[in-house]
Amino acid sequence: MGSLPVACSPECAPPQMRVKVAASDLAPLFGAQRRHLEHFFERLDLTQAAAFAQVLLDAPGAVFFTGVGKSGIVARKLAQTLASLGFARAGFLAPVDALHGDIGSVFPGDVLVLLSKSGASDELLALAPCARAKGAYLISLTSAPSGSECPLAAACDLNVHLPLQGEVCPFGLAPVTSTAIQMVFGDTIVAAIMEARRLSRDQYAANHPAGKIGKTLIFKVKDVMKKQNELPLCKEGDMIMDQLTELTSKGCGCLLVVDDGYHLIGTFTDGDLRRTLTASGPAIFNLTVGEMCNRNPRTITADAMAVEAMEKMESPPSPVQFLPVVDGSNVVCGIITLHGLVSAGL
């Protein structure tokens, strides 16, 4: 292992001035990172990339990703992303654990993707022949030139070279560019697989039932709308002042004006109340809801996506806080509010 410097304890360390990072310090670093990434894009062998994508598409069994250190973190992320598509069983195989029993999850026909910047990680070089003996197809993603400098490439069935100009690190050692390249490459291949398999929104949503992604793709208006006794309903002949309790008690900030068959006639909001009171004064006691309601409100159907309702609320000419939910005959079946959408996590 050699000799490592002995770190000083915090008690012995001399006091240090507060270190700052200025925008002028960041500019050359981001510029260097951009040049390194451009180097990668300009020199990536797309034939190798396509061969890699095809192997993943055609995999008859599971697809495992593995790596050590920061490459291992990228490998775990790519495995999780591929698994979320639902096309194939995918997972992360820790190289050391694999050599102590976990390789039992690998079967003939499975694919093992090994990520290594150097192409010479001892743990991966030890794992490769064991995985091959299990009948796995091996793919290496490395940034070292093929040949004696990249023994992992020689141990695999396919090697994809990820061109690396350098690391944005004062020593050129910390994997701050190589891991970015690995992530960009892997995620782009996943996007290509999604397109090749014609992945639909519904298929994607089936594997993302929670979180904002799932809610955006799964939730419909009928899942989050208020209905039945929660609806602030009134008739157009009702006096405005007689409907104040209905207007304020249902938490919608509005009244839905309907006829005897519950067909929507219009809406009357708390904003309409304030404007009417300002304009009419005491005469408001003689006004009906039907005289002052908006007879052309935005509406939506129960089967529309909830995210569509939010977009409709925020659309020009001015945003609104609610949408009446109607069926094909314009009969009111619910109301969806911006507060309800936000509360649902959308």
Side-chain angles (χ1 to χ4, degrees), residues 29-30 32-34 36-37 70-71 74 117 164 166-184:
L29 292 174
F30 278 109
Q33 188 76 299
R34 180 177 62 189
H36 291 336
L37 291 175
K70 307 302 184 294
S71 294
V74 176
K117 169 188 170 182
L164 177 64
E167 301 280 8
V168 178
C169 161
F171 316 113
L173 298 174
V176 293
T177 302
S178 56
T179 49
I181 287 172
Q182 291 172 343
M183 191 77 79
V184 167

Side-chain angles (χ1 to χ4, degrees), residues 220-228 230-231 301-303 323 325-326 333-337 341:
K220 293 189 175 182
V221 169
K222 62 185 176 185
D223 298 320
V224 293
M225 71 181 187
K226 293 186 176 185
K227 46 195 171 185
Q228 298 176 350
E230 299 175 299
L231 300 181
T301 62
D303 286 325
L323 292 175
V325 184
V326 297
C333 56
I335 184 171
I336 187 167
T337 67
L341 289 169

Side-chain angles (χ1 to χ4, degrees), residues 103-327:
I103 200 170
S105 60
V106 178
F107 287 82
D110 289 347
V111 175
L112 178 62
V113 183
L114 304 96
L115 281 74
S116 173
K117 169 188 170 182
S118 67
S121 302
D122 291 338
E123 297 87 347
L124 300 187
L125 290 173
L127 174 60
C130 300
R132 181 179 296 283
K134 295 280 292 183
Y137 186 89
L138 308 184
I139 304 174
S140 58
L141 306 181
T142 68
S143 290
S146 299
S148 59
E149 296 183 34
C150 187
L152 186 61
C156 294
D157 299 292
L158 172 66
N159 177 64
V160 180
H161 178 62
L162 306 182
L164 177 64
Q165 187 177 45
E167 301 280 8
V168 178
C169 161
F171 316 113
L173 298 174
V176 293
T177 302
S178 56
T179 49
I181 287 172
Q182 291 172 343
M183 191 77 79
V184 167
F185 175 79
D187 282 341
T188 305
I189 293 298
V190 169
I193 292 173
M194 293 172 70
E195 290 190 3
R197 287 293 182 89
R198 302 291 190 269
L199 183 71
S200 69
R201 287 172 63 93
D202 289 341
Q203 288 174 315
Y204 189 72
N207 295 318
H208 295 79
K212 189 160 187 177
I213 291 178
K215 291 174 181 176
T216 299
L217 295 173
I218 295 176
F219 275 27
K220 293 189 175 182
V221 169
K222 62 185 176 185
D223 298 320
V224 293
M225 71 181 187
K226 293 186 176 185
K227 46 195 171 185
Q228 298 176 350
N229 294 334
E230 299 175 299
L231 300 181
L233 301 174
C234 73
K235 301 295 179 60
E236 62 177 328
D238 292 338
M239 306 304 294
I240 290 177
M241 300 308 290
D242 292 340
Q243 295 300 314
L244 292 184
T245 299
E246 187 74 4
L247 176 63
T248 58
S249 63
K250 299 297 178 67
C252 299
C254 69
L255 293 169
L256 303 182
V257 187
V258 297
D259 62 16
D260 292 336
Y262 290 92
H263 297 91
L264 182 67
I265 294 174
T267 60
F268 183 83
T269 68
D270 49 11
D272 293 328
L273 174 64
R274 290 190 295 273
R275 287 185 288 273
T276 302
L277 183 59
T278 300
S280 303
I284 193 173
F285 287 94
N286 300 317
L287 294 174
T288 64
V289 177
E291 291 178 276
M292 305 306 297
C293 72
N294 171 20
R295 291 179 176 265
N296 188 33
R298 304 174 201 179
T299 62
I300 199 163
T301 62
D303 286 325
M305 301 305 296
V307 68
E308 180 185 339
M310 180 171 285
E311 292 170 353
K312 202 166 191 177
M313 288 183 194
E314 296 173 343
S315 63
S318 60
V320 297
Q321 300 293 311
F322 67 91
L323 292 175
V325 184
V326 297
D327 63 14

Side-chain angles (χ1 to χ4, degrees), residues 37-71:
L37 291 175
E38 289 174 349
H39 174 90
F40 163 74
F41 288 122
E42 291 169 359
R43 290 164 175 77
L44 177 65
D45 187 333
L46 294 181
T47 301
Q48 290 182 351
F52 174 56
Q54 195 64 50
V55 171
L56 299 188
L57 275 168
D58 297 338
V63 178
F64 292 99
F65 291 78
T66 188
V68 180
K70 307 302 184 294
S71 294

